[in-house]
Amino acid sequence: MGELRVNRRRVVTTAALAVPVIVLAARDLPHEKGTLAMAQQATPVVTSEATGQDQPIGQAETPPWTFTVLQFQDPYSGRITQPRDQQPGTRYVGAEVRIANGSDQPLDFSNADVLLRDADGVSYAGGRVVGSEPKLVSQNLPDGERTRGWVWFAVPEDVTIVEIRFVGPSPVFTVSLAEQ
Protein backbone atom coordinates (compact mmCIF):
# COMPACT_ATOMS: atom_id res chain seq x y z
CA MET A 1 0.00 0.00 0.00
CA GLY A 2 2.91 2.37 0.75
CA GLU A 3 4.26 1.65 -2.73
CA LEU A 4 0.87 2.58 -4.22
CA ARG A 5 0.97 6.00 -2.51
CA VAL A 6 4.45 6.71 -3.85
CA ASN A 7 3.34 5.81 -7.36
CA ARG A 8 0.25 8.06 -7.14
CA ARG A 9 2.39 10.96 -5.97
CA ARG A 10 4.80 10.43 -8.86
CA VAL A 11 1.95 10.38 -11.39
CA VAL A 12 0.32 13.52 -9.98
CA THR A 13 3.66 15.35 -9.74
CA THR A 14 4.66 14.34 -13.26
CA ALA A 15 1.29 15.43 -14.67
CA ALA A 16 1.44 18.75 -12.81
CA LEU A 17 4.89 19.45 -14.18
CA ALA A 18 4.00 18.33 -17.71
CA VAL A 19 1.05 20.74 -18.19
CA PRO A 20 3.14 23.94 -18.14
CA VAL A 21 5.75 22.34 -20.41
CA ILE A 22 3.06 21.39 -22.97
CA VAL A 23 1.55 24.88 -22.83
CA LEU A 24 4.92 26.63 -23.20
CA ALA A 25 5.90 24.33 -26.05
CA ALA A 26 2.57 24.94 -27.79
CA ARG A 27 3.08 28.74 -27.70
CA ASP A 28 6.18 28.36 -29.90
CA LEU A 29 4.48 26.10 -32.44
CA PRO A 30 2.86 27.43 -35.60
CA HIS A 31 -0.83 28.00 -34.97
CA GLU A 32 -2.22 25.09 -36.81
CA LYS A 33 -5.75 24.20 -35.90
CA GLY A 34 -4.96 20.84 -34.27
CA THR A 35 -1.91 22.04 -32.32
CA LEU A 36 -3.62 25.11 -30.88
CA ALA A 37 -6.66 23.08 -29.86
CA MET A 38 -4.42 20.55 -28.11
CA ALA A 39 -2.59 23.32 -26.20
CA GLN A 40 -5.87 24.94 -25.16
CA GLN A 41 -7.23 21.66 -23.80
CA ALA A 42 -4.09 21.10 -21.75
CA THR A 43 -4.25 24.58 -20.17
CA PRO A 44 -6.04 24.58 -16.80
CA VAL A 45 -8.99 26.99 -16.65
CA VAL A 46 -9.09 29.38 -13.72
CA THR A 47 -12.64 30.54 -13.02
CA SER A 48 -11.97 32.74 -9.99
CA GLU A 49 -9.03 34.27 -8.24
CA ALA A 50 -8.25 33.32 -4.66
CA THR A 51 -7.97 36.40 -2.46
CA GLY A 52 -6.74 34.65 0.65
CA GLN A 53 -9.82 35.86 2.56
CA ASP A 54 -13.21 34.23 2.74
CA GLN A 55 -16.22 36.50 2.55
CA PRO A 56 -18.73 34.80 4.85
CA ILE A 57 -22.45 35.36 4.59
CA GLY A 58 -22.71 35.15 8.37
CA GLN A 59 -21.28 33.34 11.35
CA ALA A 60 -22.65 31.53 14.40
CA GLU A 61 -20.52 30.92 17.47
CA THR A 62 -20.74 28.66 20.49
CA PRO A 63 -22.89 30.32 23.14
CA PRO A 64 -20.88 31.76 26.05
CA TRP A 65 -22.29 29.53 28.76
CA THR A 66 -20.17 29.10 31.88
CA PHE A 67 -20.16 26.53 34.65
CA THR A 68 -18.33 27.42 37.86
CA VAL A 69 -17.78 25.26 40.94
CA LEU A 70 -17.82 27.52 44.01
CA GLN A 71 -17.56 24.86 46.73
CA PHE A 72 -16.98 21.12 46.73
CA GLN A 73 -17.46 18.92 49.79
CA ASP A 74 -16.52 15.24 49.80
CA PRO A 75 -18.07 14.08 52.02
CA TYR A 76 -20.81 16.69 52.28
CA SER A 77 -20.70 18.31 55.73
CA GLY A 78 -24.27 19.67 55.82
CA ARG A 79 -27.55 17.94 56.59
CA ILE A 80 -29.17 15.70 53.95
CA THR A 81 -32.96 16.08 53.91
CA GLN A 82 -33.70 13.54 51.19
CA PRO A 83 -33.42 10.54 51.28
CA ARG A 84 -34.27 10.23 54.95
CA ASP A 85 -32.05 7.21 55.53
CA GLN A 86 -28.52 6.84 54.18
CA GLN A 87 -27.98 3.58 52.34
CA PRO A 88 -25.12 1.41 53.67
CA GLY A 89 -21.90 1.75 51.64
CA THR A 90 -22.91 5.21 50.36
CA ARG A 91 -21.49 8.65 51.02
CA TYR A 92 -22.91 12.04 50.04
CA VAL A 93 -20.98 14.63 48.07
CA GLY A 94 -22.11 18.22 47.55
CA ALA A 95 -21.11 21.01 45.20
CA GLU A 96 -22.22 24.62 45.03
CA VAL A 97 -22.20 25.68 41.39
CA ARG A 98 -23.05 28.69 39.25
CA ILE A 99 -24.33 28.51 35.68
CA ALA A 100 -24.27 31.70 33.64
CA ASN A 101 -25.90 32.27 30.28
CA GLY A 102 -23.96 34.96 28.42
CA SER A 103 -25.65 34.15 25.11
CA ASP A 104 -28.66 35.46 23.21
CA GLN A 105 -30.53 32.15 23.50
CA PRO A 106 -32.10 30.41 26.51
CA LEU A 107 -30.19 27.69 28.36
CA ASP A 108 -32.47 24.82 29.36
CA PHE A 109 -30.93 22.49 31.95
CA SER A 110 -31.70 20.18 34.85
CA ASN A 111 -29.68 19.67 38.02
CA ALA A 112 -29.34 16.06 36.77
CA ASP A 113 -27.12 17.55 34.01
CA VAL A 114 -24.46 18.10 36.69
CA LEU A 115 -22.44 14.89 37.01
CA LEU A 116 -19.61 13.56 39.11
CA ARG A 117 -17.14 11.16 37.52
CA ASP A 118 -14.99 8.70 39.43
CA ALA A 119 -11.52 7.34 38.62
CA ASP A 120 -13.07 4.33 36.84
CA GLY A 121 -15.11 6.56 34.51
CA VAL A 122 -18.46 5.97 36.22
CA SER A 123 -20.76 9.03 36.27
CA TYR A 124 -23.19 9.98 39.03
CA ALA A 125 -26.02 12.43 38.27
CA GLY A 126 -27.20 15.04 40.72
CA GLY A 127 -30.82 15.60 41.64
CA ARG A 128 -31.67 12.47 43.67
CA VAL A 129 -30.22 13.77 46.91
CA VAL A 130 -31.20 17.06 48.59
CA GLY A 131 -29.37 18.93 51.32
CA SER A 132 -30.27 21.86 53.55
CA GLU A 133 -28.62 24.65 51.47
CA PRO A 134 -30.39 26.32 48.52
CA LYS A 135 -30.40 23.84 45.64
CA LEU A 136 -29.66 24.45 41.98
CA VAL A 137 -33.07 24.76 40.35
CA SER A 138 -33.68 23.05 37.00
CA GLN A 139 -34.88 25.74 34.60
CA ASN A 140 -34.83 27.42 31.24
CA LEU A 141 -32.30 30.16 32.05
CA PRO A 142 -33.00 33.31 29.99
CA ASP A 143 -30.25 34.97 28.00
CA GLY A 144 -27.95 37.14 30.09
CA GLU A 145 -29.00 35.51 33.39
CA ARG A 146 -27.21 33.30 35.89
CA THR A 147 -28.21 30.94 38.67
CA ARG A 148 -26.49 29.42 41.64
CA GLY A 149 -27.17 26.53 44.00
CA TRP A 150 -26.09 23.22 45.46
CA VAL A 151 -26.17 19.81 43.80
CA TRP A 152 -25.77 16.65 45.89
CA PHE A 153 -24.75 13.15 44.91
CA ALA A 154 -24.91 9.68 46.43
CA VAL A 155 -21.76 7.74 45.55
CA PRO A 156 -20.23 4.46 46.78
CA GLU A 157 -17.97 4.95 49.82
CA ASP A 158 -14.89 3.50 48.11
CA VAL A 159 -14.78 5.54 44.85
CA THR A 160 -12.39 8.38 44.10
CA ILE A 161 -14.12 11.37 42.52
CA VAL A 162 -11.95 12.98 39.82
CA GLU A 163 -14.19 15.58 38.17
CA ILE A 164 -17.51 17.37 38.08
CA ARG A 165 -19.23 18.06 34.75
CA PHE A 166 -22.10 20.13 33.46
CA VAL A 167 -23.59 18.54 30.35
CA GLY A 168 -25.33 21.53 28.83
CA PRO A 169 -27.78 21.35 25.95
CA SER A 170 -26.66 21.43 22.34
CA PRO A 171 -26.48 25.01 21.10
CA VAL A 172 -28.52 26.18 18.13
CA PHE A 173 -26.27 27.71 15.44
CA THR A 174 -28.27 30.17 13.33
CA VAL A 175 -27.12 32.37 10.43
CA SER A 176 -29.75 34.78 9.12
CA LEU A 177 -30.23 34.74 5.35
CA ALA A 178 -32.91 37.48 5.31
CA GLU A 179 -30.41 40.16 4.25
CA GLN A 180 -29.26 38.27 1.16
Side-chain angles (χ1 to χ4, degrees):
M1 185 122 167
E3 185 66 33
L4 182 60
R5 286 188 192 142
V6 171
N7 288 338
R8 278 191 206 154
R9 273 192 229 133
R10 285 184 188 152
V11 169
V12 170
T13 303
T14 304
L17 293 173
V19 169
V21 172
I22 292 170
V23 172
L24 290 174
R27 286 194 332 194
D28 295 333
L29 292 174
H31 290 287
E32 296 174 14
K33 217 173 192 179
T35 307
L36 185 57
M38 185 174 86
Q40 287 175 345
Q41 287 173 0
T43 304
V45 177
V46 178
T47 56
S48 65
E49 242 179 81
T51 62
Q53 292 181 329
D54 292 330
Q55 298 299 320
I57 292 172
Q59 181 172 316
E61 296 180 3
T62 306
W65 299 332
T66 58
F67 174 67
T68 306
V69 179
L70 303 167
Q71 292 185 59
F72 184 73
Q73 295 180 3
D74 183 6
Y76 174 63
S77 61
R79 184 173 58 86
I80 295 296
T81 60
Q82 191 177 18
R84 290 189 185 260
D85 298 320
Q86 186 170 353
Q87 300 220 347
T90 300
R91 76 176 191 267
Y92 297 119
V93 177
E96 184 184 17
V97 300
R98 180 176 53 227
I99 297 174
N101 182 1
S103 75
D104 60 355
Q105 60 182 282
L107 169 57
D108 189 24
F109 70 91
S110 164
N111 56 13
D113 295 331
V114 179
L115 308 168
L116 289 182
R117 192 170 145 268
D118 70 18
D120 293 327
V122 177
S123 292
Y124 306 90
R128 296 185 198 135
V129 176
V130 179
S132 55
E133 281 81 20
K135 71 176 187 172
L136 181 69
V137 177
S138 301
Q139 61 185 292
N140 193 354
L141 191 63
D143 56 318
E145 296 292 322
R146 66 180 180 211
T147 189
R148 173 181 180 163
W150 281 81
V151 181
W152 299 271
F153 308 86
V155 300
E157 283 181 343
D158 60 347
V159 300
T160 302
I161 301 300
V162 295
E163 69 183 16
I164 185 168
R165 293 179 173 184
F166 170 63
V167 182
S170 297
V172 177
F173 294 94
T174 304
V175 173
S176 175
L177 299 176
E179 298 174 12
Q180 294 301 314

